[in-house]
Amino acid sequence: MQLQSLPVLDFSRLNAGEQEAAAFREELREVLHEVGFLYLTGHGIEQELTESILDLSRRFFELSEDQKLAIENVNSPQFRGYTRMGGELTDGKTDFREQIDIGVERSAVPADPDTANYWRLEGPNLWVQELPEMQAVVGEWTQRLSEISMTLLRAIAESLGAEPDAFDAAFGEKAFPLLKIVRYPGESNPEPKQGVGQHRDGGVITLLLVEPEKGGLQVEYKGQWIDAPQVPGAFVVNIGEMLELATNGYLKATLHRVISPLKGTDRISLPFFYNPALDSTMPQLAVAPEFQEKARGLSVDPLNNPILETYGDNALRYRLRAHPNVVEAQHPDLLAG
């Protein structure tokens, strides 16, 4: 039977008594095993905060080109800041979008020959002077979505027969979440154009918010593409390759893509990626035998695109591929010889 739309799960069931929480965990496990994507309602994020971050996103993209380029990512060793239209690649092809990358606000790690290269990703963000309130709103958004993500990870671990805190050590105070604030301009006319090419997320868990009544996201399921438009009051949730690695493929990191909107329209999208500390390795979960039997192994090409055990190695590799202009400007020593 072909799936017509993504499953919907109510996050608030985790606080509705143990029987209801256990049923939620079971459904969550099955959906992430079979599909790898879902809609999450009942998450408790206030509409006021959602409207505030969407409004700030709109206002940023309405700034002049010079104002946006003042925080262009080529000025950031951490690959933070603004990426101009066509400035990112997925699977070697140009994505038609502009965006801001915002990570955890920390000090840069001093360069040292004995320091792993992935520590170059740790450091400060770039902020536009014209929107001084943006940092506080993004900070609250990041904190709230981090809490939801960690609660989901604990539910996932418990649903698989592992200890609920199995992932805690990999995250802790050095977790490495990343928020992208993205604008897709209308490029389809009506032939579909690539907003973002097909890919699997490389981290652990993703929470996505899109402007109301805007579509474009498509999820692969059994060889077919399923449309996943924004559902009012819900996040789209999916898992990345590091969680697939932790469960030997029992949980599914699913291919997805974004189709550019029609000409004359656009789309604001806020994907939030909850990832472990750069120097952490994902634990191999002590998955219960009945689930181990259904583990499918990893879905990636182990020779050409292996999942590396240390999260920072994966994160840096993705950045090097997606933003060669930043590598040339900030990390020429990492250019392939």
Side-chain angles (χ1 to χ4, degrees):
M1 180 177 177
Q2 176 61 36
L3 190 69
Q4 299 299 317
S5 66
L6 300 183
V8 181
L9 272 72
D10 184 349
F11 185 70
S12 68
R13 293 166 62 196
L14 283 172
N15 295 316
E18 180 50 34
Q19 183 175 354
E20 191 64 28
F24 173 88
R25 291 192 293 266
E26 182 176 348
E27 290 179 32
L28 178 66
R29 181 192 67 237
E30 290 303 312
V31 167
L32 293 180
H33 172 67
E34 291 292 338
V35 185
F37 268 80
L38 59 96
Y39 291 115
L40 188 72
T41 62
H43 45 70
I45 299 294
E46 299 83 359
Q47 185 63 24
E48 181 181 2
L49 178 58
T50 297
E51 292 175 355
S52 179
I53 197 165
L54 285 172
D55 175 66
L56 281 166
S57 302
R58 274 276 167 206
R59 288 162 59 195
F60 173 83
F61 291 118
E62 290 169 356
L63 296 175
S64 70
E65 193 73 3
D66 287 344
Q67 289 170 323
K68 290 185 288 188
L69 290 175
I71 62 163
E72 189 175 14
N73 62 354
V74 294
N75 300 311
S76 168
Q78 290 77 35
F79 297 79
R80 309 284 178 84
Y82 175 67
T83 301
R84 65 176 74 196
M85 198 71 64
E88 185 169 14
L89 306 175
T90 299
D91 199 22
K93 298 179 182 178
T94 300
D95 296 326
F96 285 99
R97 61 178 177 175
E98 56 179 332
Q99 66 186 35
I100 326 166
D101 281 80
I102 305 171
V104 182
E105 193 74 36
R106 294 177 181 143
S107 299
V109 176
D112 186 290
D114 297 325
T115 300
N117 285 331
Y118 55 70
W119 286 115
R120 303 183 192 204
L121 300 176
E122 189 110 303
N125 295 296
L126 302 180
W127 303 97
V128 289
Q129 297 179 355
E130 292 79 8
L131 297 172
E133 67 272 41
M134 192 170 193
Q135 185 171 355
V137 173
V138 167
E140 182 178 359
W141 186 259
T142 296
Q143 179 181 348
R144 297 288 297 279
L145 268 62
S146 294
E147 293 168 355
I148 293 171
S149 300
M150 196 68 236
T151 301
L152 284 173
L153 284 176
R154 289 171 177 153
I156 290 168
E158 190 170 358
S159 78
L160 290 168
E163 292 297 322
D165 64 355
F167 293 113
D168 286 22
F171 289 84
E173 296 181 358
K174 283 293 187 176
F176 197 75
L178 177 72
L179 173 67
K180 286 180 179 284
I181 299 177
V182 184
R183 174 180 171 267
Y184 296 95
E187 294 289 334
S188 301
N189 190 33
E191 299 83 5
K193 299 290 185 180
Q194 174 172 309
V196 174
Q198 67 177 34
H199 65 285
R200 297 178 179 89
D201 289 347
V204 176
I205 194 165
T206 303
L207 274 63
L208 170 69
L209 178 76
V210 179
E211 284 184 306
E213 301 180 5
K214 296 293 179 76
L217 174 65
Q218 295 184 328
V219 175
E220 190 274 335
Y221 182 75
K222 295 185 177 179
Q224 301 293 322
W225 290 104
I226 304 167
D227 289 322
Q230 181 65 28
V231 170
F235 286 106
V236 176
V237 175
N238 66 282
I239 65 169
E241 292 174 341
M242 294 296 284
L243 196 49
E244 184 175 282
L245 176 67
T247 62
N248 192 31
Y250 177 82
L251 299 183
K252 181 179 177 63
T254 302
L255 280 174
H256 53 288
R257 66 186 183 185
V258 176
I259 303 300
S260 178
L262 291 173
K263 283 190 178 293
T265 66
D266 67 356
R267 173 182 185 264
I268 300 294
S269 174
L270 284 77
F272 172 81
F273 306 94
Y274 190 58
N275 299 311
L278 288 170
D279 60 349
S280 68
T281 57
M282 287 296 287
Q284 292 296 307
L285 288 192
V287 177
E290 62 265 33
F291 309 127
Q292 289 178 352
E293 294 174 357
K294 298 179 181 179
R296 297 160 290 200
L298 303 183
S299 56
V300 300
D301 182 342
L303 296 179
N304 297 320
N305 189 33
I307 303 174
L308 307 177
E309 289 189 359
T310 302
Y311 172 67
D313 288 329
N314 284 296
L316 180 61
R317 180 181 59 172
Y318 299 137
R319 291 300 200 181
L320 298 181
R321 290 177 178 176
H323 299 282
N325 57 333
V326 180
V327 182
E328 183 176 2
Q330 298 290 341
H331 308 289
D333 59 308
L334 298 183
L335 289 170

